[in-house]
């Protein structure tokens, strides 16, 4: 007889879907810091519709987007979905995960119940007119971040994904390693390899902001994999060895400089001169870290307000500044003279497409890059793991949490579960 609810870590027979499941839930009345916003609850288990897959989650990855979800800022994702007719009134986050296919909807042909999969965090409408015109979900208005803009992410016993989000889990990876890297890895891969002719080629100097973080950790490795020379930017010396160990040719401590923030108006002669001195001094430090007076051909951006003026200034003539975020703010001031007179490129980059997600999985499977798993927490510690991120006290690299996996180090189901039927 099918159970109504299984305890976390107790694996049902393969394909048996209980009526209810344990989940870490955000509700509007709890909006605030993660330790307040996220609470364990029991909710109804979703059922897969056409083209959808229900995955039993073994482990999940931690990303900053669900710090935002828990605050209801900068977007109230629950209100946004309610407006579109979603009746749930809650949010189950988690945009990275790994697990076992447990049920499939009509029309799903490329995965089967029992498959071990890594889940990519992008969702889109494959029938949308702009998808059919351009073919890349990064350009489609239908694109959504699964587990942030959509519900039923990986912080639950079962999650709901579209079939194209399922990628084969490399057999050598533990569940927690498989769960932690794909959002940051594919975001970095698209930034560095997705915008020809500005893709990493052998010998290219590349400046990587936040080198010890999840994005930066993956970016350093991708640059080295394709023959580039990454220079990592960090906030303190304790992160030097970590970045060098991943393949950085040098490291710069941004705390040694104080010109960060919005660009002074060019008519503010004294203010602009102070900023210019700071930017030039930082550029000198980059040259010293690189071992050569050569500007970076690609600048890997995501801090935004604090760093964008310097990034564009330092970028090589005909080079590219590519950004995927604005963690220090969204006002990215630039001096347009450096953009047009040196013919530089300022490129936005968001998410990844299916080919790029699979490319990162393949690079990890081949051992060309590592997941950079920095720490693994329990399901009950999901709020705490996000709180550390909210307070900027999280460990270097990527973080994971166990969901149905009872312990770290497992690569398969903890015990052979008989199939239903």
């Amino acid at each position: 007889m099918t159970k109504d609810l299984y305890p976390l870590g107790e694996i049902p027979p393969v394909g048996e879907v209980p009526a209810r499941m344990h989940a870490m839930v955000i509700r509007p009345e709890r909006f605030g810091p993660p330790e307040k916003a996220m609470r364990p609850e029991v909710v109804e288990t979703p059922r897969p519709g056409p083209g959808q897959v229900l995955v039993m989650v073994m482990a999940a990855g931690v990303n900053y987007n669900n710090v935002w979800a828990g605050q209801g800022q900068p977007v109230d994702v629950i209100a946004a979905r309610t407006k579109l007719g979603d009746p749930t009134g809650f949010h189950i986050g988690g945009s990275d995960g790994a697990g076992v296919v447990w049920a499939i909807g009509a029309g799903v042909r490329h995965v089967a119940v029992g498959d071990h999969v890594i889940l990519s965090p992008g969702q889109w409408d494959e029938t949308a007119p702009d998808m059919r015109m351009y073919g890349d979900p990064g350009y489609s208005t239908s694109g959504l971040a699964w587990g942030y803009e959509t519900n039923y992410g990986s912080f639950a016993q079962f999650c709901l994904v579209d079939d194209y989000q399922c990628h084969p889990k490399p057999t050598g990876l533990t569940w927690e390693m498989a769960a932690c890297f794909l959002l940051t890895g594919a975001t970095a891969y698209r930034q560095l390899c997705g915008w020809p002719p500005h893709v990493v080629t052998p010998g290219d100097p590349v400046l990587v902001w936040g080198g010890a973080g999840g994005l930066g950790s993956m970016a350093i490795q991708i640059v080295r994999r394709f023959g580039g020379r990454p220079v990592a930017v960090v906030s303190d010396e304790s992160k030097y060895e970590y970045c060098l160990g991943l393949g950085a040719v040098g490291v710069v401590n941004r705390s040694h400089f104080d010109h960060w923030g919005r660009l002074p108006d060019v008519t503010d002669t004294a203010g602009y001169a102070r900023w210019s001195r700071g930017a030039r001094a930082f550029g000198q430090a980059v040259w010293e870290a690189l071992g050569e007076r050569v500007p970076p051909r690609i600048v890997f951006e995501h801090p935004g307000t604090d760093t964008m003026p310097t990034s564009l200034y330092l970028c090589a003539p005909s080079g590219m500044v590519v950004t995927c975020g604005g963690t220090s703010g969204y006002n990215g001031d630039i001096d347009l003279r450096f953009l047009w007179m040196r013919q530089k490129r300022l490129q936005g980059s968001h998410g990844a497409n299916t080919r790029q997600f699979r490319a990162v999985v393949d690079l990890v499977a081949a051992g060309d890059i590592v997941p950079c798993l920095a720490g693994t927490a329990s399901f009950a510690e999901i709020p705490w793991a996000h709180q550390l991120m909210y307070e900027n006290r999280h460990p270097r690299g990527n973080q994971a949490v166990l969901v149905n996996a009872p312990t770290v180090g497992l690569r398969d189901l903890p015990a052979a579960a008989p199939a239903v039927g």
Side-chain angles (χ1 to χ4, degrees):
M1 179 182 294
T2 301
K3 282 188 182 181
D4 176 68
L5 176 70
Y6 282 85
L8 277 166
E10 182 179 326
I11 308 300
V14 176
E16 179 182 302
V17 180
R20 299 184 300 153
M21 66 177 185
H22 295 277
M24 194 63 67
V25 176
I26 294 170
R27 293 186 181 273
E29 59 269 25
R30 294 197 295 263
F31 278 164
E35 288 183 333
K36 173 189 174 188
M38 298 177 172
R39 291 287 183 272
E41 296 186 21
V42 172
V43 300
E44 290 186 7
T45 307
R47 295 302 193 267
Q52 292 184 316
V53 177
L54 187 73
V55 175
M56 186 185 70
V57 182
M58 298 301 288
V62 178
N63 297 287
Y64 203 89
N65 58 9
N66 276 282
V67 174
W68 290 330
Q71 295 177 88
Q73 295 289 338
V75 177
D76 183 339
V77 293
I78 299 173
R81 289 199 298 266
T82 301
K83 207 171 175 182
L84 296 174
D86 181 352
T88 57
F90 61 76
H91 176 69
I92 300 172
S95 298
D96 264 328
V100 182
V101 174
W102 222 247
I104 59 175
V108 173
R109 300 189 306 276
H110 302 297
V111 295
V113 171
D115 286 353
H116 292 192
V117 292
I118 296 176
L119 305 173
S120 59
Q123 285 192 341
W124 49 82
D125 179 359
E126 293 187 306
T127 68
D130 54 4
M131 273 292 296
R132 291 180 170 180
M133 286 293 291
Y134 304 114
D136 189 315
Y139 305 143
S140 176
T141 56
S142 72
L144 298 170
W146 168 68
Y148 174 60
E149 293 171 294
T150 73
N151 209 347
Y152 297 112
S154 56
F155 297 148
Q157 284 178 295
F158 296 91
C159 69
L160 193 62
V161 298
D162 292 338
D163 58 353
Y164 55 80
Q165 292 178 253
C166 297
H167 301 267
K169 172 186 169 294
T171 55
L173 294 185
T174 64
W175 290 115
E176 61 273 15
M177 291 170 64
C180 77
F181 70 86
L182 195 48
L183 188 152
T184 54
T187 300
Y189 183 91
R190 184 178 179 92
Q191 285 184 264
L192 295 164
C193 303
W195 304 106
H198 294 93
V199 297
V200 179
T201 57
D204 283 345
V206 179
L207 186 65
V208 178
W209 290 98
L215 275 170
S217 296
M218 305 308 286
I220 290 170
Q221 296 182 85
I222 291 167
V223 172
R224 286 308 297 263
R225 168 61 179 79
F226 291 100
R229 295 180 291 162
V231 174
V233 185
V234 298
S235 58
D236 64 75
E237 276 81 359
S238 69
K239 299 173 181 177
Y240 279 31
E241 290 303 319
Y242 175 79
C243 293
L244 293 170
L246 291 174
V249 298
V251 187
V252 179
N253 186 345
R254 62 177 171 82
S255 298
H256 293 165
F257 306 87
D258 61 4
H259 67 292
W260 311 119
R262 299 192 68 173
L263 183 70
D265 193 281
V266 294
T267 61
D268 176 4
T269 306
Y272 195 85
R274 282 193 300 272
W275 173 82
S276 295
R277 285 194 297 272
R280 286 195 301 271
F282 182 77
Q284 180 71 40
V286 172
W287 287 341
E288 291 171 359
L290 186 63
E292 186 181 4
R293 290 174 64 90
V294 178
R297 180 171 178 262
I298 298 175
V299 179
F300 181 86
E301 252 282 350
H302 51 90
T305 295
D306 281 353
T307 58
M308 182 59 75
T310 300
S311 290
L312 189 70
Y313 172 78
L314 292 182
C315 181
S318 79
M320 177 180 71
V321 176
V322 58
T323 185
C324 70
T327 52
S328 66
Y330 304 123
N331 294 101
D333 299 330
I334 59 173
D335 185 332
L336 287 172
R337 293 171 295 184
F338 299 127
L339 186 66
W340 94 68
M341 295 180 72
R342 295 291 181 260
Q343 301 181 73
K344 303 179 183 185
R345 177 179 182 178
L346 178 56
Q347 177 67 54
S349 187
H350 183 62
N353 59 38
T354 304
R355 180 188 62 80
Q356 291 162 341
F357 283 123
R358 183 62 62 86
V360 174
V361 173
D362 290 345
L363 286 171
V364 172
D368 290 330
I369 63 176
V370 298
C372 292
L373 176 62
T376 304
S378 68
F379 180 83
E381 292 172 322
I382 289 174
W384 169 80
H386 284 82
Q387 188 71 25
L388 289 182
M389 191 169 277
Y390 172 69
E391 297 173 2
N392 198 28
R393 297 192 295 117
H394 54 292
R396 304 162 191 162
N398 297 307
Q399 297 182 76
V401 294
L402 300 181
V403 182
N404 278 300
T407 185
V408 298
L410 296 178
R411 292 172 172 80
D412 205 332
L413 293 178
V420 171

